[in-house]
Amino acid sequence: MIEKRRKLPHGRFIIASHNDGKIKEINALVSPFDIEAVSAKKIGLNDPEETGKTFAENAIIKARAAADASNLPALGDDSGLEVAALGGAPGIYSARWAGEPRDFDFAMKKIEAQLIECGASDLSARFVCTLCLAWPEGAEEVFEGEVTGTLTFPPRGDNGFGYDPIFIPDGYDITFGEMAPDATHAMSHRANAFRKLMKSCLDSD
């Protein structure tokens, strides 16, 4: 049974990711707290195989593996882009669409090509992020955030990472790739999930 409102203690915790963009954004989110965030990459932990069928399942897999290996609390993140006209693809396979090594220019062109192929006029999409905070002794909490918007082609802007240059959030006329990083961090799917985590596991109230 999940223990509700378990507090993350001051000290170190592990970011269960090798994605430099995610690590940078999460570090910016935890910086106001007296917590040192250390990436799994930095301490030599391997990425576990992501066998889940949902963002939540994959976030739990990553957080649990890092918590067990490090004996520290660990934050697992699984996130991606869901395009309405493509039935929610690339979804949990967002990173894999970019191949190895990760080439998101190729992945964005792939999305554009598929939208053209199916004659889609609906360019609505959403970014989804699920965070799992896992403790070594077994407790876990899961938090989900999203941000909705529309896609644009060709990509615009050099900020952010991943699919940011083709995503215009609702209420704006510029892409995440054109926004200042602080602005993106304040409204992103990851920030929305983190606010829920903060209220449950970091706030003192």
Side-chain angles (χ1 to χ4, degrees):
M1 182 176 179
I2 293 174
E3 183 180 345
K4 297 298 184 183
R5 296 189 62 81
R6 183 181 178 92
K7 299 301 181 181
L8 184 64
H10 297 311
R12 301 177 82 198
F13 83 109
I14 305 300
I15 301 174
S17 178
H18 285 223
N19 183 309
D20 291 336
K22 286 184 181 181
I23 292 165
K24 183 177 181 180
E25 185 172 348
I26 292 171
N27 262 309
L29 292 168
V30 302
S31 61
F33 302 93
D34 186 20
I35 297 170
E36 180 188 2
V38 180
S39 72
K41 178 180 180 180
K42 185 173 182 179
I43 63 173
L45 299 182
N46 293 325
D47 275 334
E49 184 178 0
E50 296 178 30
T51 56
K53 291 182 167 51
T54 65
F55 292 115
E57 289 175 1
N58 284 331
I60 291 168
I61 288 169
K62 289 185 270 193
R64 174 52 45 210
D68 290 346
S70 66
N71 202 35
L72 289 168
L75 181 66
D77 167 304
D78 199 52
S79 54
L81 178 70
E82 294 184 340
V83 181
L86 300 182
I92 63 170
Y93 305 107
S94 293
R96 275 169 266 187
W97 272 37
E100 289 292 346
R102 297 285 159 82
D103 183 350
F104 281 98
D105 286 337
F106 170 79
M108 289 185 282
K109 289 175 182 175
K110 183 176 179 180
I111 289 175
E112 182 180 18
Q114 291 200 9
L115 288 170
I116 292 171
E117 183 179 349
C118 70
S121 58
D122 179 8
L123 297 183
S124 62
R126 68 172 188 157
F127 274 124
V128 179
C129 171
T130 300
L131 299 176
C132 174
L133 187 56
W135 284 264
E137 59 271 27
E140 297 163 358
E141 293 222 41
V142 174
F143 309 90
E144 184 174 288
E146 68 172 55
V147 59
T148 58
T150 57
L151 301 183
T152 186
F153 301 95
R156 292 165 20 197
D158 298 320
N159 293 329
F161 63 99
Y163 298 97
D164 285 354
I166 61 171
F167 185 83
I168 301 175
D170 288 342
Y172 291 80
D173 59 6
I174 61 174
T175 70
F176 272 171
E178 294 172 300
M179 285 187 181
D182 287 350
T184 305
H185 293 165
M187 62 177 296
S188 74
H189 50 309
R190 193 163 292 107
N192 290 333
F194 189 81
R195 287 187 189 98
K196 297 176 183 178
L197 182 155
M198 181 175 67
K199 183 175 181 180
S200 178
C201 302
L202 290 171
D203 279 354
S204 58
D205 294 338

Coordinates of all heavy atoms in Angstrom, one line a residue, residues 47-127:
D47 N 20.6 2.4 -17.1 CA 19.2 2.5 -17.3 C 18.6 1.2 -17.3 O 19.0 0.3 -18.1 CB 18.9 3.2 -18.6 CG 18.9 4.7 -18.5 OD1 18.7 5.3 -17.4 OD2 19.2 5.4 -19.5
P48 N 17.5 0.9 -16.6 CA 16.8 -0.4 -16.7 C 16.0 -0.5 -18.0 O 15.7 0.6 -18.6 CB 15.8 -0.4 -15.5 CG 15.5 1.1 -15.3 CD 16.8 1.8 -15.6
E49 N 15.7 -1.7 -18.4 CA 14.8 -1.8 -19.6 C 13.4 -1.3 -19.3 O 12.8 -1.7 -18.3 CB 14.8 -3.3 -20.0 CG 14.0 -3.5 -21.3 CD 14.0 -5.0 -21.7 OE1 14.6 -5.8 -21.0 OE2 13.4 -5.3 -22.8
E50 N 12.9 -0.5 -20.2 CA 11.6 0.1 -20.0 C 10.6 -0.8 -20.6 O 10.3 -0.7 -21.8 CB 11.5 1.5 -20.6 CG 12.5 2.5 -19.9 CD 12.4 3.9 -20.5 OE1 11.4 4.3 -21.0 OE2 13.5 4.6 -20.4
T51 N 10.0 -1.7 -19.8 CA 9.1 -2.7 -20.3 C 7.6 -2.3 -20.1 O 6.7 -3.1 -20.4 CB 9.4 -4.1 -19.7 OG1 9.3 -3.9 -18.3 CG2 10.7 -4.6 -20.1
G52 N 7.4 -1.2 -19.5 CA 6.0 -0.8 -19.2 C 5.2 -0.4 -20.4 O 5.8 0.0 -21.4
K53 N 3.9 -0.4 -20.2 CA 3.0 0.0 -21.3 C 2.4 1.4 -21.1 O 1.6 1.8 -22.0 CB 1.9 -1.0 -21.5 CG 2.3 -2.4 -21.9 CD 1.1 -3.4 -22.1 CE 1.5 -4.6 -22.9 NZ 2.6 -5.4 -22.4
T54 N 2.8 2.0 -20.0 CA 2.3 3.4 -19.7 C 3.4 4.2 -19.2 O 4.5 3.7 -18.8 CB 1.2 3.4 -18.7 OG1 1.7 2.9 -17.4 CG2 0.0 2.5 -19.1
F55 N 3.3 5.5 -19.2 CA 4.3 6.4 -18.6 C 4.5 6.1 -17.2 O 5.6 6.0 -16.7 CB 3.8 7.9 -18.7 CG 3.8 8.4 -20.1 CD1 2.6 8.8 -20.7 CD2 5.0 8.5 -20.9 CE1 2.6 9.3 -22.0 CE2 5.0 9.1 -22.2 CZ 3.8 9.4 -22.7
A56 N 3.4 5.8 -16.4 CA 3.5 5.5 -15.0 C 4.3 4.2 -14.8 O 5.2 4.2 -13.9 CB 2.1 5.4 -14.4
E57 N 4.1 3.2 -15.5 CA 4.8 1.9 -15.3 C 6.3 2.1 -15.6 O 7.1 1.6 -14.8 CB 4.2 0.8 -16.3 CG 2.9 0.4 -15.9 CD 2.3 -0.6 -16.9 OE1 2.9 -0.9 -17.9 OE2 1.1 -1.1 -16.6
N58 N 6.6 2.9 -16.6 CA 8.1 3.1 -16.9 C 8.7 4.0 -15.8 O 9.9 3.8 -15.5 CB 8.2 3.7 -18.3 CG 8.1 2.7 -19.4 OD1 8.3 1.5 -19.2 ND2 7.6 3.1 -20.5
A59 N 8.0 5.0 -15.3 CA 8.6 5.8 -14.3 C 8.8 5.0 -13.0 O 9.9 5.2 -12.4 CB 7.6 7.0 -14.0
I60 N 7.9 4.1 -12.7 CA 8.1 3.3 -11.5 C 9.3 2.4 -11.7 O 10.1 2.2 -10.8 CB 6.8 2.5 -11.2 CG1 5.7 3.4 -10.8 CG2 7.1 1.4 -10.2 CD1 4.3 2.8 -10.7
I61 N 9.4 1.8 -12.9 CA 10.6 0.9 -13.1 C 11.9 1.6 -12.9 O 12.8 1.1 -12.3 CB 10.5 0.3 -14.6 CG1 9.4 -0.7 -14.7 CG2 11.8 -0.3 -15.0 CD1 9.0 -1.1 -16.2
K62 N 12.0 2.8 -13.5 CA 13.3 3.6 -13.3 C 13.5 4.0 -11.9 O 14.7 3.9 -11.4 CB 13.2 4.8 -14.3 CG 13.3 4.4 -15.8 CD 13.4 5.6 -16.7 CE 12.1 6.1 -17.1 NZ 12.1 7.0 -18.3
A63 N 12.5 4.5 -11.2 CA 12.7 5.0 -9.9 C 13.0 3.8 -8.9 O 13.9 3.9 -8.1 CB 11.4 5.7 -9.4
R64 N 12.3 2.7 -9.1 CA 12.6 1.6 -8.2 C 14.0 1.0 -8.4 O 14.7 0.7 -7.4 CB 11.5 0.5 -8.5 CG 11.7 -0.8 -7.8 CD 11.9 -0.7 -6.3 NE 10.9 0.2 -5.7 CZ 11.2 0.9 -4.5 NH1 12.4 0.7 -4.0 NH2 10.4 1.7 -4.0
A65 N 14.4 0.9 -9.7 CA 15.8 0.4 -9.9 C 16.8 1.3 -9.3 O 17.8 0.8 -8.7 CB 16.0 0.2 -11.4
A66 N 16.7 2.6 -9.4 CA 17.7 3.5 -8.9 C 17.7 3.5 -7.3 O 18.7 3.6 -6.7 CB 17.4 4.9 -9.4
A67 N 16.5 3.5 -6.7 CA 16.4 3.5 -5.3 C 17.0 2.2 -4.7 O 17.7 2.2 -3.7 CB 14.9 3.6 -4.9
D68 N 16.7 1.1 -5.3 CA 17.3 -0.2 -4.9 C 18.8 -0.3 -5.0 O 19.5 -0.8 -4.1 CB 16.7 -1.4 -5.6 CG 15.2 -1.6 -5.3 OD1 14.7 -1.0 -4.2 OD2 14.5 -2.3 -6.0
A69 N 19.3 0.3 -6.1 CA 20.7 0.2 -6.4 C 21.5 1.2 -5.5 O 22.7 0.9 -5.1 CB 21.0 0.5 -7.9
S70 N 20.9 2.4 -5.2 CA 21.7 3.4 -4.5 C 21.4 3.5 -3.0 O 22.1 4.1 -2.2 CB 21.3 4.8 -5.1 OG 19.9 5.1 -4.9
N71 N 20.3 2.8 -2.6 CA 19.8 2.9 -1.2 C 19.5 4.4 -0.8 O 19.6 4.8 0.3 CB 20.8 2.3 -0.2 CG 20.2 1.9 1.1 OD1 19.0 1.5 1.1 ND2 20.9 2.1 2.2
L72 N 19.0 5.1 -1.8 CA 18.6 6.5 -1.6 C 17.2 6.7 -2.3 O 16.9 5.9 -3.2 CB 19.6 7.5 -2.2 CG 21.0 7.6 -1.6 CD1 21.9 8.4 -2.5 CD2 20.9 8.4 -0.2
P73 N 16.5 7.7 -1.8 CA 15.2 8.0 -2.6 C 15.6 8.3 -4.0 O 16.6 8.9 -4.3 CB 14.7 9.2 -1.9 CG 15.3 9.2 -0.5 CD 16.7 8.6 -0.7
A74 N 14.7 7.9 -5.0 CA 15.0 8.1 -6.4 C 13.8 8.7 -7.1 O 12.6 8.2 -6.8 CB 15.5 6.9 -7.0
L75 N 14.0 9.6 -8.0 CA 12.9 10.1 -8.8 C 13.0 9.6 -10.2 O 14.0 9.9 -10.9 CB 13.0 11.7 -8.8 CG 11.9 12.4 -9.6 CD1 10.6 12.2 -8.9 CD2 12.3 13.9 -9.7
G76 N 12.0 8.9 -10.7 CA 11.9 8.4 -12.0 C 11.0 9.2 -12.8 O 9.9 9.6 -12.3
D77 N 11.3 9.5 -14.1 CA 10.5 10.3 -15.0 C 10.3 9.5 -16.3 O 11.3 9.0 -16.9 CB 11.3 11.6 -15.2 CG 10.7 12.4 -16.4 OD1 10.6 11.9 -17.5 OD2 10.5 13.6 -16.1
D78 N 9.1 9.5 -16.7 CA 8.8 9.0 -18.0 C 7.9 10.0 -18.7 O 6.8 10.4 -18.1 CB 8.2 7.6 -18.1 CG 8.4 7.0 -19.5 OD1 9.5 7.0 -20.0 OD2 7.4 6.5 -20.1
S79 N 8.2 10.5 -19.8 CA 7.4 11.5 -20.5 C 7.5 11.4 -22.0 O 8.4 10.7 -22.5 CB 8.0 12.9 -20.0 OG 9.4 13.0 -20.3
G80 N 6.6 12.1 -22.6 CA 6.6 12.1 -24.1 C 5.6 12.9 -24.7 O 4.8 13.6 -24.0
L81 N 5.5 12.9 -26.0 CA 4.6 13.7 -26.8 C 3.5 12.8 -27.4 O 3.8 11.8 -28.0 CB 5.4 14.4 -28.0 CG 4.5 15.2 -28.9 CD1 4.0 16.5 -28.2 CD2 5.3 15.6 -30.2
E82 N 2.3 13.2 -27.2 CA 1.1 12.5 -27.7 C 0.5 13.4 -28.8 O 0.0 14.5 -28.5 CB 0.1 12.1 -26.6 CG 0.7 11.1 -25.6 CD -0.3 10.6 -24.6 OE1 -1.4 11.3 -24.4 OE2 -0.1 9.6 -24.0
V83 N 0.4 12.9 -30.0 CA -0.2 13.6 -31.1 C -1.6 13.0 -31.4 O -1.7 11.8 -31.7 CB 0.7 13.5 -32.4 CG1 0.1 14.3 -33.5 CG2 2.1 14.1 -32.0
A84 N -2.6 13.9 -31.3 CA -4.0 13.4 -31.4 C -4.2 12.6 -32.7 O -4.8 11.5 -32.8 CB -5.0 14.5 -31.2
A85 N -3.8 13.2 -33.8 CA -4.1 12.7 -35.2 C -3.3 11.4 -35.4 O -3.6 10.6 -36.3 CB -3.7 13.7 -36.3
L86 N -2.3 11.1 -34.6 CA -1.5 9.8 -34.7 C -1.9 8.8 -33.7 O -1.2 7.9 -33.3 CB 0.0 10.1 -34.7 CG 0.5 11.1 -35.7 CD1 2.0 11.2 -35.6 CD2 0.2 10.6 -37.1
G87 N -3.1 9.0 -33.1 CA -3.6 8.1 -32.1 C -2.8 8.1 -30.8 O -2.8 7.1 -30.1
G88 N -2.2 9.2 -30.5 CA -1.4 9.3 -29.3 C 0.1 9.0 -29.4 O 0.8 9.1 -28.5
A89 N 0.5 8.6 -30.6 CA 1.9 8.3 -30.9 C 2.6 9.7 -31.0 O 2.0 10.7 -31.3 CB 2.1 7.6 -32.2
P90 N 3.9 9.7 -30.7 CA 4.8 8.6 -30.3 C 4.6 8.1 -28.9 O 5.1 7.0 -28.5 CB 6.2 9.1 -30.6 CG 6.1 10.6 -30.4 CD 4.7 10.9 -30.9
G91 N 4.0 8.9 -28.0 CA 3.7 8.5 -26.6 C 4.9 8.0 -25.9 O 5.9 8.6 -25.8
I92 N 4.8 6.8 -25.3 CA 5.9 6.2 -24.5 C 7.1 5.9 -25.3 O 8.2 5.6 -24.7 CB 5.4 5.0 -23.6 CG1 5.0 3.8 -24.6 CG2 4.3 5.3 -22.7 CD1 4.8 2.5 -23.8
Y93 N 6.9 5.9 -26.6 CA 8.1 5.6 -27.5 C 8.7 6.9 -28.1 O 9.5 6.8 -29.0 CB 7.6 4.7 -28.7 CG 6.9 3.4 -28.2 CD1 5.6 3.3 -28.3 CD2 7.7 2.4 -27.6 CE1 4.9 2.1 -27.8 CE2 7.1 1.3 -27.1 CZ 5.7 1.1 -27.3 OH 5.1 0.0 -26.8
S94 N 8.4 8.0 -27.4 CA 8.9 9.3 -27.9 C 10.4 9.3 -28.1 O 10.9 9.8 -29.2 CB 8.5 10.5 -27.0 OG 7.1 10.6 -27.0
A95 N 11.2 8.9 -27.1 CA 12.6 8.9 -27.3 C 13.1 7.9 -28.3 O 14.0 8.1 -29.1 CB 13.3 8.6 -25.9
R96 N 12.4 6.7 -28.4 CA 12.8 5.7 -29.3 C 12.6 6.1 -30.8 O 13.3 5.6 -31.7 CB 12.1 4.4 -29.0 CG 12.8 3.6 -27.9 CD 12.0 2.4 -27.4 NE 11.2 2.8 -26.2 CZ 10.5 2.0 -25.5 NH1 10.4 0.7 -25.8 NH2 9.9 2.4 -24.4
W97 N 11.6 7.0 -31.0 CA 11.4 7.5 -32.4 C 12.7 8.3 -32.8 O 12.9 8.4 -34.0 CB 10.2 8.4 -32.4 CG 8.9 7.7 -32.7 CD1 8.5 6.5 -32.2 CD2 7.8 8.2 -33.4 NE1 7.3 6.2 -32.6 CE2 6.8 7.2 -33.4 CE3 7.6 9.3 -34.2 CZ2 5.6 7.3 -34.0 CZ3 6.3 9.5 -34.8 CH2 5.4 8.5 -34.7
A98 N 13.4 8.7 -31.9 CA 14.7 9.5 -32.3 C 15.8 8.6 -32.5 O 16.9 9.1 -33.0 CB 15.0 10.5 -31.2
G99 N 15.7 7.3 -32.2 CA 16.8 6.3 -32.5 C 18.0 6.5 -31.6 O 17.9 7.2 -30.6
E100 N 19.0 5.8 -31.9 CA 20.3 5.8 -31.2 C 21.4 6.1 -32.2 O 21.6 5.3 -33.1 CB 20.6 4.5 -30.5 CG 19.6 4.3 -29.3 CD 19.9 5.2 -28.1 OE1 20.9 5.9 -28.1 OE2 19.0 5.3 -27.2
P101 N 22.3 7.1 -31.9 CA 22.1 8.1 -30.9 C 20.9 9.0 -31.2 O 20.4 9.1 -32.3 CB 23.4 9.0 -31.0 CG 23.8 8.8 -32.4 CD 23.4 7.4 -32.8
R102 N 20.4 9.7 -30.2 CA 19.1 10.4 -30.2 C 19.2 11.5 -31.3 O 20.0 12.4 -31.2 CB 18.7 10.9 -28.9 CG 18.5 9.8 -27.8 CD 17.1 9.1 -28.1 NE 17.1 7.8 -27.5 CZ 16.8 7.6 -26.2 NH1 16.6 8.6 -25.4 NH2 16.7 6.4 -25.7
D103 N 18.3 11.4 -32.3 CA 18.2 12.4 -33.3 C 16.8 12.9 -33.4 O 16.0 12.4 -34.1 CB 18.7 11.8 -34.7 CG 18.7 12.9 -35.8 OD1 18.2 14.0 -35.6 OD2 19.2 12.5 -36.9
F104 N 16.5 14.0 -32.6 CA 15.1 14.5 -32.6 C 14.8 15.3 -33.8 O 13.6 15.4 -34.1 CB 14.9 15.3 -31.3 CG 14.7 14.4 -30.1 CD1 15.7 14.1 -29.2 CD2 13.4 13.9 -29.9 CE1 15.5 13.3 -28.1 CE2 13.2 13.0 -28.8 CZ 14.2 12.7 -27.9
D105 N 15.8 15.8 -34.6 CA 15.4 16.3 -35.9 C 14.8 15.3 -36.7 O 13.8 15.6 -37.4 CB 16.7 16.9 -36.5 CG 17.2 18.2 -35.9 OD1 16.4 18.9 -35.2 OD2 18.4 18.5 -36.0
F106 N 15.3 14.1 -36.7 CA 14.7 13.0 -37.5 C 13.4 12.6 -37.0 O 12.4 12.4 -37.7 CB 15.7 11.8 -37.4 CG 15.0 10.5 -37.9 CD1 15.0 10.3 -39.3 CD2 14.5 9.5 -37.1 CE1 14.4 9.1 -39.8 CE2 13.9 8.4 -37.6 CZ 13.8 8.2 -38.9
A107 N 13.2 12.6 -35.6 CA 11.9 12.2 -35.0 C 10.8 13.3 -35.4 O 9.7 12.9 -35.7 CB 12.1 12.1 -33.5
M108 N 11.2 14.6 -35.4 CA 10.2 15.6 -35.7 C 9.8 15.5 -37.2 O 8.6 15.7 -37.5 CB 10.8 17.0 -35.4 CG 10.8 17.2 -33.9 SD 11.4 18.9 -33.4 CE 13.2 18.8 -33.6
K109 N 10.8 15.2 -38.1 CA 10.4 15.0 -39.5 C 9.5 13.8 -39.7 O 8.7 13.8 -40.5 CB 11.7 14.8 -40.3 CG 12.5 16.1 -40.4 CD 13.8 15.9 -41.1 CE 14.7 17.2 -41.2 NZ 16.0 16.9 -41.8
K110 N 9.8 12.8 -38.8 CA 8.9 11.5 -38.9 C 7.5 11.9 -38.5 O 6.5 11.4 -39.2 CB 9.5 10.5 -38.0 CG 8.8 9.1 -38.0 CD 9.5 8.1 -37.1 CE 8.8 6.8 -37.1 NZ 9.4 5.8 -36.3
I111 N 7.3 12.7 -37.5 CA 5.9 13.1 -37.1 C 5.3 13.9 -38.2 O 4.1 13.6 -38.6 CB 6.0 13.9 -35.8 CG1 6.3 13.0 -34.6 CG2 4.6 14.6 -35.6 CD1 6.5 13.8 -33.3
E112 N 6.0 14.8 -38.8 CA 5.5 15.6 -39.9 C 5.1 14.8 -41.1 O 4.0 14.9 -41.7 CB 6.5 16.7 -40.3 CG 6.0 17.6 -41.4 CD 7.0 18.7 -41.9 OE1 8.2 18.5 -41.6 OE2 6.6 19.7 -42.5
A113 N 6.0 13.8 -41.4 CA 5.7 12.9 -42.6 C 4.4 12.1 -42.3 O 3.6 11.9 -43.3 CB 6.9 12.0 -42.8
Q114 N 4.3 11.6 -41.1 CA 3.1 10.8 -40.8 C 1.8 11.6 -40.9 O 0.7 11.1 -41.3 CB 3.3 10.0 -39.5 CG 4.3 9.0 -39.6 CD 4.2 7.9 -38.5 OE1 3.2 7.9 -37.8 NE2 5.2 7.1 -38.4
L115 N 1.9 12.9 -40.4 CA 0.7 13.7 -40.4 C 0.3 14.1 -41.9 O -0.9 14.1 -42.2 CB 1.0 15.0 -39.7 CG 1.1 14.9 -38.1 CD1 1.6 16.2 -37.5 CD2 -0.3 14.6 -37.6
I116 N 1.3 14.3 -42.7 CA 1.0 14.5 -44.1 C 0.4 13.3 -44.8 O -0.5 13.4 -45.5 CB 2.3 15.0 -44.9 CG1 2.8 16.4 -44.4 CG2 2.1 15.0 -46.4 CD1 4.2 16.8 -44.9
E117 N 1.0 12.1 -44.5 CA 0.6 10.9 -45.1 C -0.9 10.6 -44.7 O -1.6 10.1 -45.6 CB 1.4 9.7 -44.6 CG 1.1 8.4 -45.2 CD 2.0 7.3 -44.7 OE1 3.0 7.6 -44.1 OE2 1.7 6.1 -45.0
C118 N -1.3 10.9 -43.5 CA -2.7 10.6 -43.1 C -3.6 11.8 -43.4 O -4.8 11.7 -43.1 CB -2.8 10.2 -41.7 SG -2.5 11.5 -40.4
G119 N -3.1 12.9 -44.0 CA -3.9 14.0 -44.3 C -4.5 14.7 -43.1 O -5.6 15.3 -43.2
A120 N -3.8 14.7 -42.0 CA -4.4 15.3 -40.8 C -4.5 16.8 -40.8 O -3.5 17.5 -41.3 CB -3.5 14.9 -39.6
S121 N -5.6 17.3 -40.4 CA -5.8 18.8 -40.2 C -5.7 19.1 -38.8 O -5.5 20.3 -38.4 CB -7.1 19.2 -40.8 OG -8.2 18.5 -40.2
D122 N -5.9 18.2 -37.9 CA -5.8 18.4 -36.5 C -4.3 18.2 -36.0 O -3.8 17.2 -36.1 CB -6.7 17.3 -35.8 CG -6.6 17.4 -34.2 OD1 -6.1 18.4 -33.7 OD2 -7.2 16.5 -33.6
L123 N -3.8 19.3 -35.6 CA -2.4 19.3 -35.1 C -2.3 19.4 -33.6 O -1.2 19.8 -33.1 CB -1.6 20.5 -35.8 CG -1.5 20.4 -37.3 CD1 -0.6 21.6 -37.8 CD2 -0.9 19.1 -37.8
S124 N -3.4 19.1 -32.9 CA -3.3 19.2 -31.4 C -2.5 18.1 -30.9 O -2.4 17.0 -31.4 CB -4.7 19.1 -30.9 OG -5.4 17.9 -31.2
A125 N -1.8 18.4 -29.8 CA -0.9 17.4 -29.1 C -0.8 17.8 -27.7 O -1.2 18.9 -27.2 CB 0.5 17.5 -29.8
R126 N -0.2 16.9 -26.9 CA 0.1 17.2 -25.5 C 1.4 16.6 -25.1 O 1.7 15.5 -25.6 CB -1.0 16.8 -24.6 CG -1.3 15.3 -24.5 CD -2.3 15.0 -23.4 NE -2.3 13.5 -23.1 CZ -2.8 13.0 -22.0 NH1 -3.2 13.8 -21.0 NH2 -2.8 11.7 -21.8
F127 N 2.1 17.2 -24.2 CA 3.2 16.6 -23.5 C 2.7 16.0 -22.2 O 2.0 16.7 -21.5 CB 4.3 17.6 -23.2 CG 5.3 17.9 -24.3 CD1 5.5 19.2 -24.8 CD2 6.1 16.9 -24.9 CE1 6.4 19.4 -25.8 CE2 7.0 17.1 -25.9 CZ 7.2 18.4 -26.3

